Amino acid sequence: MEEVRRSYSRLCKESGAEPQETVLQRLQELPRGRLDLATQSLTADTCRALGKLLQKEALVTELVLSDCMLRATLLLQGLCANTVLQFLDLKGNNLRAAGAEALGRLLRQNKSIQNLTLEWNNLGTWEDAFATFCGALAANGTLRQLDLRNNQISHKGAEELALALKSNTSLQQLDLRWNNIGLLGGRALVSCLPSNRTLWRLELAGNSVPSDVLRAVEQAMDHTQEREATFRENQARTRVLSKEVRHLQEEKSKQFLDLMETIDKQREEMARSTRTSAARVGQLQEALNERQSIINALKAKLQMAEAALALSEQKAQDLGELLATAEQEHWSLVQRQAKERRLEQQEAAERESKLLRDLSAANEKNLLLQNEVDELERKVKSQQDQLFLTRQELTNTSAELKMRAIQAEERLELEKKRSRQSLEDSEHLRFKEVEHMTRHLEETERAMQERAQRLEAARLSLEKELSRVKAVALTERGQAEEELIKAKNQVRLEEQQRLGHLEEKLRLLAQARDEAQSTCLQQREAVAEAQARASQLGLQVEGLRRRLEELQQELSNKDQEKVAEVTRVRVELQEQNGRLQAELAAQEALKEKVAALARQLKVIASDHREALLDRESENASLREKLRLKEAEMARIRDEEAQRASFLQNAVLAYVQGSPLRTSSPQK
């Protein structure tokens, strides 16, 4: 309900008007879908908003708008699209011509209104608009009740209504009381009633219609009601008979279907048994083929494992040979490196002696300038101390390198003893790593030699420049010292990295050797398991062959049983076919009975129609006699009324004359 109120308020605001409070209150209530706005003065904006609201509103089934003086065109335009409204009351709204035309559009487009009240609306005053309304009524197929009281309908409007009633197939009750239909309109309505099969109530009181026309209308209504009753009775009888016939047909069809179901079930059981036996044989054959394929696969795996084992043994031998060659090459490389290191040490000592001699000569030359270069000599001494320290560091590093080389050789020997049985791929990688390490060592040695040469050249240049520019000599010596420190650090780092890399490679080789041994053991175990499974599968194949022979024997026995069962079922089917033929004959007899009953029904219906016609003729004669008697009684009543008037006049004359006579003598 609240949603309806909000929709109404929104539509009013869209049209720029304020919603009416009374309408909001009635929209809030809506008892059982009934919207009662009777005696409420509705504005044009409200009518427009209500029309838009009722286009899609599904809650309102009854709408009361009596005595509202509304703008009908705005509201009825929205009701044309409504599909749930069943009762509409527009009493006392003075709709006039525009309202009649809007009502015509409503009756043509709306398919849900069943009860329409239009009392006190002066629809008959405008004949063209009322004709439009009557044309829409003729095309309408849902309206059941129509109230047109007090609408100033003339005999022409009644003629238009008569034309509409000839085409209408749904209207059952029509109220035309208190209009101006008259004799001509009444006759037009009486002439249309034989064509209408649905109208059973027509009210014409207060229309100046003669009594004979009213009686004819009543007779037509009674006839329509009797015809409707007989039609309903015949329909009920036909429904009962059709139900009995359908019941008999259903019973026979059920019996026939049960018989066919039993036959189908027997056939399905036979087919199922054959399918199951065939499926069993197929499954056993598939199992046998699977076992055979498994045995073949295991044999192939066994051959592959043996070949892989032979390859692994061959690879182990090749790896052992490669390891021996790698050890010899590594030993020769170590000896070569030791010789090169000795030569480098001798060259370094000679260079140091040369530097000392050059320094002493420089000192002798610089004695003359002692007063000027005392400070420079102290710096030179400090540089000599630093050079001495660098020599000591070089000797220490060479000793450390020798120790590390000896340790590496010992580790290599141990690893050689452990990894003689590793795989070919790992040895090949190790050989590549050793070559890489040797190349790297040679490159580092060459780099060290080049750096030492560069340092010697720097020292010579420093000594030469010392005599010339003391400040430049100091800076170059500082740079040389920094380069020496960097070279030492770099050499130490490279040696540490090489040792770590060698240790990692040795660990990987040991792991590869262990993995190769474990794979060999696993392959041997797999070969043993495959041989055991092959023996078991052979036993299972023999058991399956015996089982297959047994199943074939059972299948032959079942085939014989099926042949016997098929013959028995054929005999039963022949018997059932005989029964079905007898039942079909019985059904044909029942059909003949049904046809006889239908013929009897037709005869009864024709007799009933003749009796109805006789009764109608008797009723007509009786009505004619009654009309004559009523006319005679009217004549007698008129004569009695004349006599009564004469007597009344005489009495009045006598009454008026008697007091005059009595009063004259007194005067």
Side-chain angles (χ1 to χ4, degrees), residues 492-508:
R492 288 175 185 174
L493 291 172
E494 288 176 355
E495 290 296 328
Q496 289 176 359
Q497 290 176 357
R498 283 195 210 99
L499 290 172
H501 192 62
L502 287 170
E503 290 175 356
E504 183 67 23
K505 293 297 179 183
L506 291 171
R507 186 176 62 78
L508 293 171

Side-chain angles (χ1 to χ4, degrees), residues 220-277:
M221 294 295 101
D222 295 337
H223 180 66
T224 304
Q225 290 176 3
E226 290 175 359
R227 185 173 56 204
E228 189 69 22
T230 54
F231 180 71
R232 290 198 189 96
E233 187 177 358
N234 289 327
Q235 280 185 344
R237 288 178 181 176
T238 53
R239 282 197 295 270
V240 171
L241 290 172
S242 62
K243 283 182 181 178
E244 291 179 356
V245 172
R246 281 198 300 272
H247 183 66
L248 290 171
Q249 289 177 354
E250 287 175 358
E251 287 181 353
K252 296 300 178 182
S253 63
K254 283 181 181 178
Q255 292 176 1
F256 182 73
L257 289 172
D258 293 336
L259 181 60
M260 294 302 294
E261 284 179 359
T262 54
I263 294 167
D264 293 336
K265 286 180 181 178
Q266 290 176 358
R267 288 178 180 174
E268 287 177 358
E269 288 177 357
M270 292 171 63
R272 195 182 297 113
S273 61
T274 55
R275 285 197 299 272
T276 52
S277 59

Side-chain angles (χ1 to χ4, degrees), residues 260-419:
M260 294 302 294
E261 284 179 359
T262 54
I263 294 167
D264 293 336
K265 286 180 181 178
Q266 290 176 358
R267 288 178 180 174
E268 287 177 358
E269 288 177 357
M270 292 171 63
R272 195 182 297 113
S273 61
T274 55
R275 285 197 299 272
T276 52
S277 59
R280 286 180 183 175
V281 173
Q283 288 176 358
L284 290 171
Q285 189 66 34
E286 288 177 357
L288 185 62
N289 294 330
E290 287 178 357
R291 296 294 174 83
Q292 191 67 32
S293 62
I294 290 167
I295 291 168
N296 295 330
L298 289 171
K299 287 180 180 179
K301 286 181 180 179
L302 182 61
Q303 292 175 0
M304 290 172 66
E306 290 176 353
L309 185 61
L311 288 172
S312 63
E313 290 177 354
Q314 185 66 31
K315 287 179 181 179
Q317 291 178 1
D318 295 338
L319 287 171
E321 293 176 358
L322 290 171
L323 185 62
T325 54
E327 287 176 354
Q328 291 177 1
E329 289 176 356
H330 186 268
W331 181 252
S332 63
L333 286 171
V334 169
Q335 289 179 354
R336 194 181 302 114
Q337 287 176 1
K339 289 179 182 179
E340 289 176 355
R341 284 174 187 168
R342 291 193 197 97
L343 292 172
E344 287 176 359
Q345 289 175 359
Q346 290 176 2
E347 289 177 356
E350 289 176 356
R351 287 171 185 170
E352 288 176 359
S353 62
K354 285 180 181 180
L355 287 171
L356 290 172
R357 286 194 297 272
D358 293 335
L359 286 171
S360 62
N363 289 324
E364 288 176 357
K365 288 178 182 179
N366 291 327
L367 287 173
L368 298 173
L369 301 171
Q370 286 181 358
N371 295 325
E372 296 177 356
V373 295
D374 288 333
E375 189 174 356
L376 293 173
E377 285 178 355
R378 287 194 296 272
K379 292 180 180 178
V380 169
K381 287 179 181 179
S382 63
Q383 288 178 0
Q384 288 176 358
D385 294 334
Q386 289 176 359
L387 287 171
F388 182 73
L389 291 172
T390 55
R391 289 179 194 138
Q392 288 180 355
E393 287 177 357
L394 285 171
T395 54
N396 292 328
T397 54
S398 61
E400 287 178 359
L401 288 171
K402 289 178 182 179
M403 291 295 292
R404 289 177 182 175
I406 292 166
Q407 290 176 0
E409 289 174 359
E410 291 176 354
R411 290 176 182 174
L412 286 170
E413 289 176 358
L414 293 172
E415 292 297 330
K416 287 174 186 178
K417 291 177 182 179
R418 293 176 184 174
S419 61

Side-chain angles (χ1 to χ4, degrees), residues 158-217:
E159 290 173 358
E160 295 292 337
L161 276 174
L163 292 174
L165 289 174
K166 286 182 180 180
S167 302
N168 187 277
T169 58
S170 63
L171 191 64
Q172 297 177 358
Q173 299 181 34
L174 178 60
D175 195 346
L176 294 172
R177 289 179 290 178
W178 313 112
N179 285 294
N180 299 322
I181 292 175
L183 176 62
L184 296 175
R187 288 179 178 176
L189 290 171
V190 170
S191 64
C192 78
L193 291 177
S195 301
N196 190 287
R197 298 289 182 178
T198 59
L199 188 67
W200 57 269
R201 183 182 176 186
L202 179 60
E203 299 288 343
L204 293 173
N207 280 285
S208 300
V209 178
S211 59
D212 57 345
V213 176
L214 292 174
R215 283 194 298 273
V217 170

Side-chain angles (χ1 to χ4, degrees), residues 71-185:
R71 301 291 181 87
T73 55
L74 299 175
L75 181 62
L76 297 176
Q77 186 177 0
L79 291 176
C80 290
N82 190 285
T83 58
V84 296
L85 189 66
Q86 297 179 359
F87 178 81
L88 179 60
D89 187 357
L90 296 174
K91 174 183 175 183
N93 283 292
N94 198 15
L95 297 179
R96 299 187 179 185
E101 292 176 356
L103 285 169
R105 288 193 296 272
L106 176 67
L107 291 177
R108 287 184 184 277
Q109 297 179 16
N110 189 281
K111 304 298 180 182
S112 63
I113 296 176
Q114 298 180 3
N115 194 331
L116 181 59
T117 301
L118 299 172
E119 185 181 358
W120 292 104
N121 279 296
N122 294 326
L123 296 176
T125 307
W126 291 269
E127 294 177 356
D128 294 336
F130 190 72
T132 304
F133 171 78
C134 293
L137 179 63
N140 186 274
T142 57
L143 192 64
R144 300 288 184 269
Q145 297 180 18
L146 178 61
D147 188 354
L148 291 173
R149 290 177 292 175
N150 293 300
N151 272 286
Q152 302 296 324
I153 299 173
S154 62
H155 64 279
K156 292 184 179 179
E159 290 173 358
E160 295 292 337
L161 276 174
L163 292 174
L165 289 174
K166 286 182 180 180
S167 302
N168 187 277
T169 58
S170 63
L171 191 64
Q172 297 177 358
Q173 299 181 34
L174 178 60
D175 195 346
L176 294 172
R177 289 179 290 178
W178 313 112
N179 285 294
N180 299 322
I181 292 175
L183 176 62
L184 296 175

